[in-house]
Amino acid sequence: MIKMKKAAASIPLIVGLIALVIVVLFVISTQNQGFFSTNNILFSNPETTPVDNLIQSCLDNSLEKTFEKIGNNGGWITSAAFEINPEDPTDSYALPVNNNYAVAYWYFMLDPNLCEGNCRFGSLAPSLTQVEKQAEEYIALDVFKCFTENWKDDGNFKIYIKDLPSVDVILTDKNVKAKLDFPIEIEKLGEGGIKHREEYTSELDIPFKKIWTVASEIAAYEAKTRFLEVSVIDLISLYSGKDKNKLPPFYDVSFIDFSPVMWQADKVREKITQILAAYLNQITINNSKNFDFGIKTEGERKTLQGFLVWDIKDDNVKDLNISFTYNPRWKPFIAFGDQEGIIMPVNLAPANDNIILRLLDIAGVTRYRTLYQVSYPVLVDITDSKALNGRGYTFRIALEGNIRNNNILLENSTVGSVVGSPDTSICDDRFWGGEHRIKIKDFFGKPVENAEVSLYALNTICGLGKTNEGGEIITGLPEGIFTVRAYKPGYYITENLISSRDTTVVVLTAYPEKEIKMKIGKAELSKEDVENHRINFALDNFNSKEKGTFIMYNLENPKYTVTFKINGSNALEKYVNLVPGEYRIISTIIYNDTIEIPEKCVVGGELLCLKKLNGTNITNYPVSIVNIKELEISGTDLYNHNVLEISVPVTLLPEDYDDLKIVSDLMNFLSENPDKLRMRFRSE
């Protein structure tokens, strides 16, 4: 089955952000490390210079690090919350450029590449307000962590941290400014409390607002003109022809053609990928600092100049280097409608009683028709070479081109049919040939009768009929390779490929839906249990203050989704329909009350504490986060039992700062070892 592109995005976003907060906020290292100097030191009280210098240095470096991340990820601190498929970048929310970052798409198709209805387009471009808010939250946590890790005790100060820093970030056309308030109290040994700086400021010479505006205009330009698609459509046309060394033509006719040309689909994909790399990298912005139209030949210039030179109406582009990149490692989606494996011509003169058409058929009248389906990513780098004191600053966005049936795939448009006029439709069985057998058996090997079988080629569906009492259907096929699917109420039936050139029996497996009683309960884990990876099975009741959600869904077919709302109830149960397969589990449970964490001395002892964390109160602390991407439910377990019980691990409430990282340790362990989540099948 086709997986929905970027499905259930809000759930991993929430889980990802919770995990980020846990890792950054709750895990505090106290190791002393070296730290580099800063250019924005402001002195207030000479006695507190070491403290002030460190805070200022942390702020300066955190601000630059933050906007480096924002630039690399398309406006986001992290892309970890986005659904990303490195093997299929056009089925992702962000373009995975390398192992360190992925760039958010600012214009792309939200639906799967094989969109079969009204295709939705969208953008993950953050607003300037969102950029500021992200930066403020990240810098506050980062400065806090930086200060606690790098303060070197010289025995002269006691420092009391009253709260996290608060940060205000302002983005302008000229720079990025940050103001930080760090609520700490400083005591000098033998002298008591001393005054110190209350506010710290930092500034980067990055014209971020100007860069962000140009990025928005580039994305809007593509959305309006669709020049990414127009240029590739023209390139395919330019490099196609009735020649095996060229691309298959959109449409062409040959007379007295006794040796029709055929192409290997994979070879055609390779050539298209090479063309994308050769030409998309030549897109340039008119009047930009690095404007260069590198196409040399007159024919190419005449054909492509309007599409490879983008005319952005913004004077700010003259100060910026703007480059477009397509890397062949970013696998494009390329299909050919109803033709796969071998792309071949369609005969224009099918045999009938007309003697003239028979003579034309004998004479070798053939028609070439290729329906291109292409999706591809493009990276846009916007660089101010003068920023950061001449070191330069780059902001990146990703765009996506989408072509269907040789045309631009428009927003909210229906993918056009891949068939031509009625007399040459691939669903017209008068032109089918061969005898092909399709057989459907259930999980137990028994034939499945009366299953409706269909042939799929992108958005074209050809009904083949129903299986007989032996679970079989015998049919002819049009030329090509197709997907065969089947449907029968109460079953989940796998799909398979079928070829007109192969008479091997194609077998589909039908998994009966099984109604089963599903129960969840909690297994309470201590700190020692988590540290020693002792995940016990239990179905204890959730207490009245434990609230959250448990979601389990089938990765191949989200129809099979189970949701429990946890609201301080007893062990939960319901009857659900499931099929064998891989499932994802996402569960978050919070403690709906306030807990108190006592102060902690991080440098020194009880009699002489040189650095400590003040006690704090935490509301809605997450006691359980489960994010398992692949959990297998086998047919043997499902069909031989009528009860499925899943034990949700819940950590004890933290008693001190050290306990705060336990829930993130548990989440990471279960993510890497999904088989350790305790579940059992039984019968009653």
Side-chain angles (χ1 to χ4, degrees), residues 244-275:
K244 66 179 182 180
N245 295 317
K246 295 184 176 182
L247 297 175
F250 291 151
Y251 181 85
D252 208 337
V253 178
S254 289
F255 297 93
I256 315 178
D257 185 357
F258 295 102
S259 300
V261 181
M262 297 186 184
W263 297 262
Q264 292 185 29
D266 286 342
K267 295 293 185 182
V268 176
R269 288 188 176 91
E270 290 178 10
K271 290 179 181 179
I272 293 175
T273 302
Q274 292 168 3
I275 290 172

mmCIF file of all heavy atoms in Angstrom, residues 244-275:
data_model
loop_
_atom_site.group_PDB
_atom_site.id
_atom_site.type_symbol
_atom_site.label_atom_id
_atom_site.label_comp_id
_atom_site.label_asym_id
_atom_site.label_seq_id
_atom_site.Cartn_x
_atom_site.Cartn_y
_atom_site.Cartn_z
ATOM 1 N N LYS A 244 17.167 5.700 -29.112
ATOM 2 C CA LYS A 244 17.408 5.047 -27.829
ATOM 3 C C LYS A 244 18.400 5.813 -26.964
ATOM 4 O O LYS A 244 18.474 5.607 -25.749
ATOM 5 C CB LYS A 244 17.898 3.612 -28.033
ATOM 6 C CG LYS A 244 19.274 3.500 -28.691
ATOM 7 C CD LYS A 244 19.684 2.041 -28.820
ATOM 8 C CE LYS A 244 21.080 1.918 -29.432
ATOM 9 N NZ LYS A 244 21.504 0.508 -29.570
ATOM 10 N N ASN A 245 19.186 6.715 -27.589
ATOM 11 C CA ASN A 245 20.134 7.524 -26.825
ATOM 12 C C ASN A 245 19.515 8.813 -26.294
ATOM 13 O O ASN A 245 20.184 9.588 -25.618
ATOM 14 C CB ASN A 245 21.352 7.854 -27.696
ATOM 15 C CG ASN A 245 22.139 6.614 -28.071
ATOM 16 O OD1 ASN A 245 22.371 5.744 -27.233
ATOM 17 N ND2 ASN A 245 22.525 6.514 -29.337
ATOM 18 N N LYS A 246 18.260 9.053 -26.638
ATOM 19 C CA LYS A 246 17.540 10.221 -26.137
ATOM 20 C C LYS A 246 16.461 9.767 -25.162
ATOM 21 O O LYS A 246 16.291 8.584 -24.896
ATOM 22 C CB LYS A 246 16.925 11.003 -27.295
ATOM 23 C CG LYS A 246 17.938 11.628 -28.233
ATOM 24 C CD LYS A 246 17.245 12.469 -29.302
ATOM 25 C CE LYS A 246 18.262 13.169 -30.192
ATOM 26 N NZ LYS A 246 17.595 14.040 -31.212
ATOM 27 N N LEU A 247 15.718 10.729 -24.652
ATOM 28 C CA LEU A 247 14.577 10.405 -23.811
ATOM 29 C C LEU A 247 13.391 10.041 -24.694
ATOM 30 O O LEU A 247 13.269 10.541 -25.821
ATOM 31 C CB LEU A 247 14.206 11.601 -22.928
ATOM 32 C CG LEU A 247 15.247 12.068 -21.915
ATOM 33 C CD1 LEU A 247 14.770 13.331 -21.210
ATOM 34 C CD2 LEU A 247 15.551 10.980 -20.899
ATOM 35 N N PRO A 248 12.490 9.181 -24.206
ATOM 36 C CA PRO A 248 11.282 8.887 -24.983
ATOM 37 C C PRO A 248 10.470 10.166 -25.199
ATOM 38 O O PRO A 248 10.358 10.989 -24.286
ATOM 39 C CB PRO A 248 10.518 7.895 -24.094
ATOM 40 C CG PRO A 248 11.524 7.355 -23.138
ATOM 41 C CD PRO A 248 12.531 8.428 -22.932
ATOM 42 N N PRO A 249 9.915 10.352 -26.377
ATOM 43 C CA PRO A 249 9.170 11.586 -26.651
ATOM 44 C C PRO A 249 7.825 11.611 -25.942
ATOM 45 O O PRO A 249 7.243 10.568 -25.642
ATOM 46 C CB PRO A 249 8.989 11.547 -28.172
ATOM 47 C CG PRO A 249 9.013 10.095 -28.510
ATOM 48 C CD PRO A 249 9.965 9.460 -27.542
ATOM 49 N N PHE A 250 7.348 12.855 -25.671
ATOM 50 C CA PHE A 250 5.995 12.985 -25.140
ATOM 51 C C PHE A 250 5.005 12.321 -26.099
ATOM 52 O O PHE A 250 4.151 11.550 -25.691
ATOM 53 C CB PHE A 250 5.622 14.465 -24.989
ATOM 54 C CG PHE A 250 6.388 15.187 -23.912
ATOM 55 C CD1 PHE A 250 6.631 16.544 -24.026
ATOM 56 C CD2 PHE A 250 6.845 14.530 -22.789
ATOM 57 C CE1 PHE A 250 7.326 17.225 -23.038
ATOM 58 C CE2 PHE A 250 7.546 15.190 -21.793
ATOM 59 C CZ PHE A 250 7.790 16.545 -21.928
ATOM 60 N N TYR A 251 5.137 12.672 -27.389
ATOM 61 C CA TYR A 251 4.225 12.128 -28.398
ATOM 62 C C TYR A 251 4.911 12.196 -29.765
ATOM 63 O O TYR A 251 5.516 13.207 -30.115
ATOM 64 C CB TYR A 251 2.921 12.938 -28.441
ATOM 65 C CG TYR A 251 1.921 12.412 -29.446
ATOM 66 C CD1 TYR A 251 1.064 11.382 -29.115
ATOM 67 C CD2 TYR A 251 1.858 12.941 -30.734
ATOM 68 C CE1 TYR A 251 0.158 10.882 -30.031
ATOM 69 C CE2 TYR A 251 0.954 12.449 -31.667
ATOM 70 C CZ TYR A 251 0.102 11.420 -31.306
ATOM 71 O OH TYR A 251 -0.792 10.916 -32.224
ATOM 72 N N ASP A 252 4.823 11.135 -30.519
ATOM 73 C CA ASP A 252 5.394 11.134 -31.862
ATOM 74 C C ASP A 252 4.789 9.963 -32.634
ATOM 75 O O ASP A 252 4.274 9.007 -32.041
ATOM 76 C CB ASP A 252 6.921 11.003 -31.816
ATOM 77 C CG ASP A 252 7.590 11.654 -33.029
ATOM 78 O OD1 ASP A 252 6.907 11.789 -34.070
ATOM 79 O OD2 ASP A 252 8.775 12.020 -32.921
ATOM 80 N N VAL A 253 4.846 10.047 -33.960
ATOM 81 C CA VAL A 253 4.304 9.001 -34.827
ATOM 82 C C VAL A 253 5.369 8.622 -35.849
ATOM 83 O O VAL A 253 6.066 9.486 -36.388
ATOM 84 C CB VAL A 253 3.026 9.476 -35.548
ATOM 85 C CG1 VAL A 253 2.509 8.389 -36.492
ATOM 86 C CG2 VAL A 253 1.956 9.842 -34.543
ATOM 87 N N SER A 254 5.505 7.322 -36.108
ATOM 88 C CA SER A 254 6.427 6.834 -37.144
ATOM 89 C C SER A 254 5.661 6.037 -38.177
ATOM 90 O O SER A 254 4.756 5.258 -37.839
ATOM 91 C CB SER A 254 7.506 5.945 -36.531
ATOM 92 O OG SER A 254 8.403 6.701 -35.762
ATOM 93 N N PHE A 255 6.028 6.234 -39.442
ATOM 94 C CA PHE A 255 5.445 5.458 -40.532
ATOM 95 C C PHE A 255 6.519 4.526 -41.106
ATOM 96 O O PHE A 255 7.700 4.866 -41.153
ATOM 97 C CB PHE A 255 4.917 6.382 -41.623
ATOM 98 C CG PHE A 255 3.797 7.265 -41.153
ATOM 99 C CD1 PHE A 255 4.067 8.537 -40.671
ATOM 100 C CD2 PHE A 255 2.489 6.814 -41.163
ATOM 101 C CE1 PHE A 255 3.037 9.355 -40.233
ATOM 102 C CE2 PHE A 255 1.462 7.628 -40.718
ATOM 103 C CZ PHE A 255 1.731 8.901 -40.250
ATOM 104 N N ILE A 256 6.098 3.391 -41.539
ATOM 105 C CA ILE A 256 6.995 2.366 -42.083
ATOM 106 C C ILE A 256 8.141 2.132 -41.105
ATOM 107 O O ILE A 256 9.315 2.183 -41.430
ATOM 108 C CB ILE A 256 7.530 2.771 -43.480
ATOM 109 C CG1 ILE A 256 6.405 3.320 -44.355
ATOM 110 C CG2 ILE A 256 8.173 1.586 -44.180
ATOM 111 C CD1 ILE A 256 6.845 3.780 -45.727
ATOM 112 N N ASP A 257 7.746 1.931 -39.846
ATOM 113 C CA ASP A 257 8.718 1.760 -38.761
ATOM 114 C C ASP A 257 8.708 0.293 -38.349
ATOM 115 O O ASP A 257 7.850 -0.147 -37.591
ATOM 116 C CB ASP A 257 8.332 2.664 -37.588
ATOM 117 C CG ASP A 257 9.371 2.636 -36.474
ATOM 118 O OD1 ASP A 257 10.343 1.870 -36.601
ATOM 119 O OD2 ASP A 257 9.206 3.375 -35.496
ATOM 120 N N PHE A 258 9.680 -0.492 -38.897
ATOM 121 C CA PHE A 258 9.704 -1.918 -38.590
ATOM 122 C C PHE A 258 10.617 -2.248 -37.410
ATOM 123 O O PHE A 258 10.721 -3.399 -37.009
ATOM 124 C CB PHE A 258 10.140 -2.705 -39.833
ATOM 125 C CG PHE A 258 9.166 -2.595 -40.967
ATOM 126 C CD1 PHE A 258 9.419 -1.744 -42.035
ATOM 127 C CD2 PHE A 258 7.985 -3.325 -40.956
ATOM 128 C CE1 PHE A 258 8.522 -1.636 -43.079
ATOM 129 C CE2 PHE A 258 7.081 -3.220 -42.008
ATOM 130 C CZ PHE A 258 7.346 -2.367 -43.072
ATOM 131 N N SER A 259 11.295 -1.213 -36.871
ATOM 132 C CA SER A 259 12.165 -1.410 -35.699
ATOM 133 C C SER A 259 11.859 -0.332 -34.657
ATOM 134 O O SER A 259 12.631 0.613 -34.463
ATOM 135 C CB SER A 259 13.642 -1.351 -36.112
ATOM 136 O OG SER A 259 13.949 -2.346 -37.046
ATOM 137 N N PRO A 260 10.709 -0.424 -34.006
ATOM 138 C CA PRO A 260 10.339 0.599 -33.019
ATOM 139 C C PRO A 260 11.393 0.693 -31.912
ATOM 140 O O PRO A 260 12.010 -0.297 -31.515
ATOM 141 C CB PRO A 260 9.009 0.092 -32.471
ATOM 142 C CG PRO A 260 8.494 -0.857 -33.506
ATOM 143 C CD PRO A 260 9.707 -1.483 -34.114
ATOM 144 N N VAL A 261 11.588 1.900 -31.424
ATOM 145 C CA VAL A 261 12.567 2.134 -30.362
ATOM 146 C C VAL A 261 11.927 1.820 -29.012
ATOM 147 O O VAL A 261 10.771 2.156 -28.765
ATOM 148 C CB VAL A 261 13.055 3.595 -30.389
ATOM 149 C CG1 VAL A 261 14.102 3.824 -29.302
ATOM 150 C CG2 VAL A 261 13.621 3.939 -31.761
ATOM 151 N N MET A 262 12.689 1.176 -28.135
ATOM 152 C CA MET A 262 12.251 0.914 -26.766
ATOM 153 C C MET A 262 13.336 1.388 -25.820
ATOM 154 O O MET A 262 14.518 1.416 -26.160
ATOM 155 C CB MET A 262 11.951 -0.570 -26.559
ATOM 156 C CG MET A 262 10.818 -1.098 -27.420
ATOM 157 S SD MET A 262 10.372 -2.799 -27.027
ATOM 158 C CE MET A 262 9.134 -3.131 -28.279
ATOM 159 N N TRP A 263 12.932 1.770 -24.637
ATOM 160 C CA TRP A 263 13.852 2.311 -23.639
ATOM 161 C C TRP A 263 13.691 1.552 -22.325
ATOM 162 O O TRP A 263 12.574 1.179 -21.935
ATOM 163 C CB TRP A 263 13.566 3.783 -23.366
ATOM 164 C CG TRP A 263 13.756 4.714 -24.520
ATOM 165 C CD1 TRP A 263 14.847 5.486 -24.791
ATOM 166 C CD2 TRP A 263 12.807 5.010 -25.555
ATOM 167 N NE1 TRP A 263 14.650 6.239 -25.921
ATOM 168 C CE2 TRP A 263 13.395 5.968 -26.418
ATOM 169 C CE3 TRP A 263 11.514 4.561 -25.856
ATOM 170 C CZ2 TRP A 263 12.740 6.488 -27.521
ATOM 171 C CZ3 TRP A 263 10.861 5.074 -26.967
ATOM 172 C CH2 TRP A 263 11.475 6.023 -27.784
ATOM 173 N N GLN A 264 14.798 1.349 -21.629
ATOM 174 C CA GLN A 264 14.742 0.816 -20.274
ATOM 175 C C GLN A 264 14.391 1.950 -19.315
ATOM 176 O O GLN A 264 15.052 2.993 -19.310
ATOM 177 C CB GLN A 264 16.085 0.205 -19.873
ATOM 178 C CG GLN A 264 16.450 -1.051 -20.636
ATOM 179 C CD GLN A 264 17.731 -1.678 -20.109
ATOM 180 O OE1 GLN A 264 18.064 -1.541 -18.932
ATOM 181 N NE2 GLN A 264 18.440 -2.359 -20.991
ATOM 182 N N ALA A 265 13.362 1.749 -18.520
ATOM 183 C CA ALA A 265 12.873 2.819 -17.643
ATOM 184 C C ALA A 265 13.963 3.317 -16.701
ATOM 185 O O ALA A 265 14.086 4.527 -16.461
ATOM 186 C CB ALA A 265 11.659 2.329 -16.849
ATOM 187 N N ASP A 266 14.771 2.405 -16.162
ATOM 188 C CA ASP A 266 15.816 2.829 -15.224
ATOM 189 C C ASP A 266 16.875 3.687 -15.909
ATOM 190 O O ASP A 266 17.413 4.628 -15.306
ATOM 191 C CB ASP A 266 16.468 1.610 -14.567
ATOM 192 C CG ASP A 266 15.563 0.961 -13.530
ATOM 193 O OD1 ASP A 266 14.607 1.632 -13.084
ATOM 194 O OD2 ASP A 266 15.805 -0.198 -13.173
ATOM 195 N N LYS A 267 17.176 3.383 -17.165
ATOM 196 C CA LYS A 267 18.141 4.203 -17.912
ATOM 197 C C LYS A 267 17.582 5.603 -18.159
ATOM 198 O O LYS A 267 18.312 6.601 -18.110
ATOM 199 C CB LYS A 267 18.490 3.530 -19.235
ATOM 200 C CG LYS A 267 19.227 2.202 -19.107
ATOM 201 C CD LYS A 267 20.618 2.396 -18.522
ATOM 202 C CE LYS A 267 21.387 1.080 -18.505
ATOM 203 N NZ LYS A 267 22.742 1.234 -17.903
ATOM 204 N N VAL A 268 16.291 5.666 -18.424
ATOM 205 C CA VAL A 268 15.646 6.966 -18.625
ATOM 206 C C VAL A 268 15.699 7.779 -17.326
ATOM 207 O O VAL A 268 15.949 8.985 -17.341
ATOM 208 C CB VAL A 268 14.194 6.785 -19.107
ATOM 209 C CG1 VAL A 268 13.485 8.131 -19.212
ATOM 210 C CG2 VAL A 268 14.174 6.070 -20.455
ATOM 211 N N ARG A 269 15.485 7.113 -16.209
ATOM 212 C CA ARG A 269 15.569 7.808 -14.918
ATOM 213 C C ARG A 269 16.970 8.397 -14.712
ATOM 214 O O ARG A 269 17.120 9.523 -14.218
ATOM 215 C CB ARG A 269 15.226 6.856 -13.774
ATOM 216 C CG ARG A 269 13.763 6.478 -13.683
ATOM 217 C CD ARG A 269 13.468 5.682 -12.406
ATOM 218 N NE ARG A 269 12.060 5.397 -12.285
ATOM 219 C CZ ARG A 269 11.466 4.308 -12.749
ATOM 220 N NH1 ARG A 269 12.191 3.371 -13.362
ATOM 221 N NH2 ARG A 269 10.170 4.126 -12.600
ATOM 222 N N GLU A 270 17.993 7.618 -15.064
ATOM 223 C CA GLU A 270 19.362 8.108 -14.918
ATOM 224 C C GLU A 270 19.590 9.358 -15.769
ATOM 225 O O GLU A 270 20.199 10.330 -15.301
ATOM 226 C CB GLU A 270 20.356 7.013 -15.332
ATOM 227 C CG GLU A 270 20.429 5.842 -14.368
ATOM 228 C CD GLU A 270 21.393 4.767 -14.855
ATOM 229 O OE1 GLU A 270 22.123 5.037 -15.839
ATOM 230 O OE2 GLU A 270 21.418 3.668 -14.274
ATOM 231 N N LYS A 271 19.086 9.361 -16.994
ATOM 232 C CA LYS A 271 19.285 10.517 -17.872
ATOM 233 C C LYS A 271 18.547 11.741 -17.342
ATOM 234 O O LYS A 271 19.071 12.862 -17.379
ATOM 235 C CB LYS A 271 18.807 10.184 -19.287
ATOM 236 C CG LYS A 271 19.696 9.176 -20.016
ATOM 237 C CD LYS A 271 19.165 8.872 -21.414
ATOM 238 C CE LYS A 271 20.055 7.848 -22.111
ATOM 239 N NZ LYS A 271 19.553 7.502 -23.465
ATOM 240 N N ILE A 272 17.337 11.539 -16.839
ATOM 241 C CA ILE A 272 16.584 12.673 -16.289
ATOM 242 C C ILE A 272 17.311 13.244 -15.081
ATOM 243 O O ILE A 272 17.410 14.472 -14.911
ATOM 244 C CB ILE A 272 15.151 12.243 -15.918
ATOM 245 C CG1 ILE A 272 14.370 11.899 -17.184
ATOM 246 C CG2 ILE A 272 14.439 13.345 -15.136
ATOM 247 C CD1 ILE A 272 12.984 11.359 -16.922
ATOM 248 N N THR A 273 17.849 12.371 -14.238
ATOM 249 C CA THR A 273 18.596 12.832 -13.068
ATOM 250 C C THR A 273 19.811 13.646 -13.488
ATOM 251 O O THR A 273 20.123 14.680 -12.884
ATOM 252 C CB THR A 273 19.028 11.628 -12.209
ATOM 253 O OG1 THR A 273 17.868 10.891 -11.810
ATOM 254 C CG2 THR A 273 19.766 12.091 -10.958
ATOM 255 N N GLN A 274 20.492 13.209 -14.531
ATOM 256 C CA GLN A 274 21.650 13.960 -15.036
ATOM 257 C C GLN A 274 21.231 15.328 -15.574
ATOM 258 O O GLN A 274 21.918 16.333 -15.360
ATOM 259 C CB GLN A 274 22.347 13.149 -16.130
ATOM 260 C CG GLN A 274 23.023 11.880 -15.625
ATOM 261 C CD GLN A 274 23.449 10.951 -16.757
ATOM 262 O OE1 GLN A 274 23.294 11.274 -17.941
ATOM 263 N NE2 GLN A 274 23.978 9.783 -16.398
ATOM 264 N N ILE A 275 20.104 15.385 -16.247
ATOM 265 C CA ILE A 275 19.605 16.658 -16.772
ATOM 266 C C ILE A 275 19.237 17.599 -15.625
ATOM 267 O O ILE A 275 19.538 18.804 -15.666
ATOM 268 C CB ILE A 275 18.402 16.419 -17.703
ATOM 269 C CG1 ILE A 275 18.875 15.742 -18.999
ATOM 270 C CG2 ILE A 275 17.669 17.715 -18.016
ATOM 271 C CD1 ILE A 275 17.745 15.290 -19.897
#
